[in-house]
């Protein structure tokens, strides 16, 4: 990744230990991260022309990550979103990918796997 153009990441994770840890790992890679504990707050903060990548857990208070994904697809069909879950199944992953998700990671995932997925999604967004 180029230092002149850091990847912008919206991270939606309600786990009070995991969210800050993931955000810190991404920041150490030079990414700019905004962390949200719920989808509604994240949705309100994502502009129509957001140039980055959204990473969201599925199970969230209020609106879940799949509903957030659907709303964001209406707002910007090209906005890459990586979905994470500790409760996923194959059918959910296939449906998310077919629906346009950039990737689907099952917890626990490695920081390296998430960083790789974000970089791939960000590169696709640029082109």
């Amino acid at each position: 990744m180029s230092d002149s153009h850091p990847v912008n990441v919206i991270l939606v994770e309600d786990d009070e230990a995991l969210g800050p840890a993931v955000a810190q790992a991404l920041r150490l890679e030079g990414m700019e991260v905004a962390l949200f504990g719920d989808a509604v707050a994240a949705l309100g903060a994502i502009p129509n022309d957001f140039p980055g990548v959204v990473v969201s857990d599925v199970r969230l208070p209020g609106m879940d990550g799949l509903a957030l994904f659907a709303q964001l697809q209406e707002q910007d069909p090209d906005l890459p979103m990586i979905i994470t879950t500790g409760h996923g199944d194959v059918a959910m992953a296939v449906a998310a990918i077919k629906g346009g998700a950039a990737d689907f990671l099952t917890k626990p995932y490695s920081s390296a796997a998430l960083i790789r997925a974000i970089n791939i999604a960000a590169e696709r967004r640029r082109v």
Side-chain angles (χ1 to χ4, degrees):
M1 256 324 87
S2 168
D3 290 331
S4 61
H5 293 32
V7 177
N8 290 296
V9 178
I10 299 287
L11 176 62
V12 189
E13 173 59 65
D14 65 330
D15 183 305
E16 293 181 7
L18 183 60
V22 171
Q24 181 63 20
L26 299 179
R27 288 183 183 117
L28 289 172
E29 286 294 313
M31 297 178 184
E32 293 184 6
V33 182
L35 175 61
F36 296 89
D38 68 84
V40 174
L43 187 60
I46 299 172
N48 288 338
D49 59 348
F50 180 67
V53 178
V54 176
V55 178
S56 179
D57 189 13
V58 170
R59 291 198 178 175
L60 296 165
M63 177 190 294
D64 72 23
L66 297 175
L68 172 64
F69 178 54
Q71 291 256 355
L72 290 173
Q73 286 289 290
E74 287 180 20
Q75 182 175 312
D76 180 354
D78 297 323
L79 178 62
M81 183 161 167
I82 297 166
I83 298 172
T84 67
T85 186
H87 310 280
D89 60 27
V90 173
M92 182 188 292
V94 169
I97 297 298
K98 282 187 175 179
D103 211 334
F104 188 97
L105 301 176
T106 302
K107 296 175 184 176
Y109 52 81
S110 69
S111 294
L114 179 59
I115 290 163
R116 186 170 42 255
I118 290 170
N119 284 330
I120 290 168
E123 188 57 34
R124 283 188 193 140
R125 176 77 163 168
R126 283 189 199 102
V127 293

